[in-house]
Amino acid sequence: DQEHQEKIRRQQKVRQTASEGISALKTGLARLEAQLKIIQQAERSFSGYTQGTRLLLDAARNARITGSEGALSQHLQVPEEIEVAVSAALGEYIDAVVITGGVDEALDYLLLNATRGIILPITHMHSEISAWVLEDYAGVVGIAAKLVKAPESLQNCVTHLLGQVLIVQDRKTAKRILAASQKAFDENSSLGRGWRIVTLKGEVYLVNGPVLSASGVKGQTILGRTRQGKEITREIEGDQGRLAQMLEEYAQLEQEESNLTSQGEAMASQLREITKLEDQNRLALNQARQQSEALTRQVNWHHEQLTRLESDQANIDREINSINLESSGFEQKISQLQKKQRELDQSILELSTEELQANVNYWSTNLAVLKRANDDAENRLRERETTLGNLQKTRLQLQQRFSDGKEALAK
């Protein structure tokens, strides 16, 4: 019905919205995968690294040297807001190759190719983060080694390279910290030895005086690429999970829509059957009405016939009674004529021959008249008896028709 069709339209709209969401998510996922592919291609081609680093990484990939764990930057998780500062603090060590063993083998390979490179033998590095009394100073972001995440096996490397790097918001903060700490450094020169203060823009202040401007260093690109690759990978995994869930929900929506469509088709089929039954019932009702009208006409006709039969029977009864009365009169008249004829015959016998001869014509005439009257009466009596028989026969037929009409009317 109309309500069910509206429900199907709403379901189709929900499914269409879900389909659009899936398409948008797939488009975004394809874009992320393209970005990740570019990053992975850059990693595979060692884009951004120095020649020595590319040489060592390629040698490790092709098993020409052993013990390589890849570039240091590949293992670091650096928050985006301090990438410039960490890149400036690491300097050329951003290109360092981590070696778990076979340091001589890596050095020989660099010498063989007359190329400069940096090697970090993690098995030989031991370091601790020094205390910094002004770590909680206003404008201080924190000690770099504490802000950068790395695998446990590389923690000593991170501490060695970044354990004495204090990251601050800006140049003004760096100058205030240097001024506030100068007295302590003068009293104990070993306290600030090796410490560097690095701004978020990549300006490096050494506590013993020199200042380096390393903003825009290439290490930002390398660290950012590593971070972006990991972020994009996590985003892709999240989107793939959401896509799988959305596809599952979409399949459920399709199934629900299919069920609604099937229900609609079943309802339409039922409606067609109901309409067909209604048409059949309407036809049957019309036929029944026509039959009823025909029966009514037939009943009326039977009533008319019965009324006419009753009238005919009453007329026949009256005629029969009339004939019976008339027949009774004829019988009486015939009896009188027969009596009169006997009297006449007796009178003739009593006459003498002369009187008989003299009145023969008279008596013959009278006798002929009486005989003719008697014959007429007998003929009329026979006619009346025949008519009476016919009427009685007709009466029986009318009674049979009347009985048949009553039975038909009862049915």
Side-chain angles (χ1 to χ4, degrees), residues 146-159:
K146 294 181 179 181
L147 301 175
V148 175
K149 295 181 180 180
E152 185 64 30
S153 60
L154 294 179
Q155 198 59 53
N156 286 334
C157 291
V158 174
T159 301

Side-chain angles (χ1 to χ4, degrees), residues 3 11 41 43 45 62 96 124 129 135 175 186 202 226 254 276 302 345 347 350 381 403 408:
E3 181 179 355
Q11 185 69 20
Q41 180 62 35
E43 288 291 338
S45 63
N62 294 284
H124 299 157
I129 298 176
E135 187 177 351
K175 290 178 179 180
D186 291 341
T226 303
E254 282 188 322
K276 183 179 179 180
H302 280 298
D345 289 339
S347 298
E350 291 176 356
L381 180 61
S403 177

Side-chain angles (χ1 to χ4, degrees), residues 223-243:
L223 290 176
R225 186 172 68 199
T226 303
R227 173 185 53 79
Q228 289 173 0
K230 292 177 181 178
E231 289 177 351
I232 291 174
T233 299
R234 286 194 298 269
E235 192 171 353
I236 288 175
E237 291 174 352
D239 285 351
Q240 286 175 339
R242 286 191 294 274
L243 179 61

